[in-house]
Amino acid sequence: MFPLDTPWNISFAGCGFLGIYHVGVASCLQEQAPFLVHNARHIYGASAGALTATALVTGVCLGEAGASIIDVAKEARKRFLGPMHPSFNLVKIVCRMLRRTLPADCHHQATGRLGISLTRVTDGENVLVSHFNTKEELVQACVCSAYIPVYCGLIPPSLRGVRYVDGGISDNLPQYELKNTITVSPFSGESDICPRDTSTNLHELRFTNTSIQFTLTNLYRVSRALFPPDPVVMKTMCKQGYKDALHFLKRNGLLNFNGPHRDRLLIAKGEENEDDDRSDGEDGEPDVEERAQMVQSSSFIEEHFMENLPPALHKALVEACRERRSLTQSLSNLLPVRMASAMMLPYTLPLESAMSLTLRLLEWLPYVQEDVGWIREQVLKILQYVLRQVSRSITQHVSESVTVTTLCVTITPKNSNRSQIENSVMCL
């Protein structure tokens, strides 16, 4: 039984494109146990988990959030190299998505309740940001938390003048060590809500506080975190998240639970009406039958929830998975055309790279001065570090040479000839 007598938190792990799993979990918690979300002291997230945590705290439609993730995955899959193609700008897409979906007062709702895991570039330490002054600050915090170096770019984004990268590098499951933190991860392991793979392998990997069991299914999930699968597979992952969250609620007796305070009132009312129930002793058998029917109906409802996502979420995901192909797209998907495109890749890729680089340079112009200044600082720090190491090495070498010379002078007698001195030095 999950303890509700003390405050609790919810923490979403970083997982790249597998964040669609978090959408299913969040949808289940919001629909089947809304008190867990509304009364949670903090909702934490790292990387893709921070996006779901932000949507949950700010009241964004989870169907729209899931559809947005699938749209980003479809955009990446259009290209031959997927998200590694030069023309695919993940940061720009995420920024546009967040600015479109988040409400205007999202920073007020998130302050003090939402915790976003970030990794500070200067020292690699983890930072949990929970205060936001504007909507743009919240958007920038989400971008910083999801920024994977090299994969997303070379110059990390900044928040309030400090450079940050993916929060999963330093803490992929924020505040997991707290007793009453409900941990959510799309990787099979020891998290409270996660897939339960049928495997006898007891070995696991701890990646910055995230438990990942060594299974073939987990290996597939890891490979799909940065390279998105088919939209239909992502919809199945969302459904899996909903099922796993439902199992968690059922296992902890929270499925038909209305919250700690309201439940106590219901218990009190039940005790008051207990005498009335006893007085109707003759009608006991119908009560038993009614209770049995209620249990059967509740189990049927649970099975229905297991098989079907909420209508709004299901509709949004189905709409996102639907392919809207024009004549040009249909022709481009033909096998001969795809083979010709693959053969022409050595010629077309440099051209596309040059075009995308030009566009990125134009978009980078407003931030050139700030970014170039940061690059200069980092280069100076690296040079200073190298010079310190070289100076330390030279000093150590010189001190050793002086020590050897001193020993030679001390050991050699005053009336020794030159050959004896050389022999002494050679002996040393």
Side-chain angles (χ1 to χ4, degrees):
M1 182 70 181
F2 185 79
L4 296 174
D5 52 347
T6 57
W8 63 87
N9 308 306
I10 304 174
S11 182
F12 293 93
C15 53
F17 284 101
L18 302 187
I20 192 72
Y21 178 90
H22 291 330
V23 174
V25 173
S27 178
C28 180
L29 296 180
Q30 197 174 58
E31 184 171 333
Q32 303 300 326
F35 70 93
L36 275 181
V37 178
H38 298 153
N39 298 335
R41 174 178 286 182
H42 295 103
I43 298 180
Y44 299 104
S47 193
L51 303 180
T52 304
T54 303
L56 201 58
V57 170
T58 57
V60 172
C61 175
L62 293 175
E64 186 177 358
S68 298
I69 295 174
I70 292 180
D71 288 339
V72 175
K74 287 167 64 177
E75 189 68 24
R77 288 173 58 86
K78 285 180 183 178
R79 294 157 175 80
F80 187 78
L81 298 177
M84 301 302 294
H85 196 278
S87 63
F88 183 75
N89 193 340
L90 183 60
V91 174
K92 184 179 178 180
I93 294 173
V94 171
C95 282
R96 186 170 62 244
M97 178 187 71
L98 290 172
R99 292 189 181 112
R100 186 183 71 247
T101 56
L102 290 178
D105 62 339
C106 59
H107 55 287
H108 295 300
Q109 302 176 47
T111 296
R113 191 154 182 260
L114 173 66
I116 297 179
S117 175
L118 306 174
T119 302
R120 194 163 46 216
V121 174
T122 53
D123 54 4
E125 291 296 321
N126 183 259
V127 177
L128 269 179
V129 180
S130 58
H131 293 278
F132 312 94
N133 298 319
T134 61
K135 175 182 176 179
E136 190 59 31
E137 272 195 6
L138 178 57
V139 171
Q140 199 63 18
C142 292
V143 169
C144 290
S145 183
Y147 189 92
I148 303 173
V150 180
Y151 181 84
C152 294
L154 298 177
I155 302 176
S158 62
L159 176 66
R160 301 167 191 160
V162 182
R163 301 279 174 171
Y164 296 100
V165 292
D166 194 333
I169 296 175
S170 55
D171 190 355
N172 198 47
L173 198 59
Q175 303 298 327
Y176 83 103
E177 70 278 0
L178 297 181
K179 182 180 178 181
N180 266 21
T181 297
I182 302 173
T183 54
V184 184
S185 172
F187 305 106
S188 177
E190 295 182 355
S191 299
D192 295 320
I193 302 177
C194 68
R196 304 296 175 184
D197 295 341
T198 55
S199 174
T200 57
N201 194 343
L202 300 178
H203 299 286
E204 66 167 0
L205 169 68
R206 282 276 174 182
F207 175 74
T208 60
N209 303 331
T210 305
S211 171
I212 303 177
Q213 193 177 11
F214 279 109
T215 63
L216 291 176
T217 312
N218 263 350
L219 290 176
Y220 171 78
R221 295 187 185 109
V222 170
S223 68
R224 289 305 182 183
L226 299 180
F227 296 91
D230 188 84
V232 178
V233 177
M234 296 185 72
K235 181 176 178 291
T236 305
M237 289 180 177
C238 183
K239 188 176 180 180
Q240 181 67 43
Y242 193 93
K243 287 182 179 180
D244 293 337
L246 205 61
H247 281 304
F248 170 79
L249 296 176
K250 186 177 180 181
R251 188 169 63 249
N252 290 275
L254 303 172
L255 189 57
N256 297 316
F257 192 65
N258 297 313
H261 302 294
R262 188 175 174 185
D263 190 67
R264 288 170 189 164
L265 293 174
L266 292 174
I267 292 173
K269 289 181 180 179
E271 291 177 352
E272 291 176 1
N273 297 329
E274 189 175 354
D275 295 334
D276 297 337
D277 294 337
R278 289 177 181 174
S279 64
D280 298 332
E282 296 178 356
D283 299 332
E285 293 181 359
D287 290 342
V288 172
E289 292 178 359
E290 289 177 3
R291 289 176 183 175
Q293 291 177 359
M294 289 175 64
V295 170
Q296 290 178 359
S297 63
S298 64
S299 63
F300 173 77
I301 292 172
E302 290 175 14
E303 291 177 0
H304 175 75
F305 284 139
M306 290 285 190
E307 296 298 328
N308 300 285
L309 290 169
L313 179 60
H314 177 75
K315 182 179 179 181
L317 295 182
V318 168
E319 191 68 21
C321 292
R322 186 175 299 164
E323 293 288 344
R324 300 176 180 83
R325 293 183 179 178
S326 61
L327 179 61
T328 306
Q329 291 176 338
S330 300
L331 291 174
S332 63
N333 286 327
L334 295 175
L335 182 60
V337 178
R338 293 174 63 184
M339 291 179 63
S341 300
M343 293 174 63
M344 293 292 292
L345 188 64
Y347 306 99
T348 57
L349 185 60
L351 180 61
E352 292 179 357
S353 300
M355 292 177 61
S356 61
L357 181 61
T358 304
L359 291 175
R360 291 200 182 195
L361 285 175
L362 292 174
E363 294 173 354
W364 185 46
L365 285 177
Y367 313 99
V368 167
Q369 185 176 359
E370 181 184 355
D371 291 344
V372 169
W374 178 80
I375 293 173
R376 185 173 62 250
E377 290 178 3
Q378 301 307 309
V379 171
L380 288 175
K381 288 181 180 179
I382 293 172
L383 289 176
Q384 289 174 359
Y385 175 78
V386 172
L387 289 175
R388 281 198 303 268
Q389 294 297 323
V390 171
S391 176
R392 188 178 302 170
S393 177
I394 293 174
T395 304
Q396 185 178 0
H397 182 71
V398 170
S399 63
E400 290 177 355
S401 301
V402 171
T403 304
V404 170
T405 305
T406 305
L407 287 173
C408 290
V409 172
T410 304
I411 294 173
T412 306
K414 292 182 179 180
N415 56 355
S416 298
N417 55 22
R418 185 174 181 180
S419 61
Q420 289 176 337
I421 294 174
E422 291 177 354
N423 291 334
S424 300
V425 173
M426 291 177 65
C427 291
L428 290 172

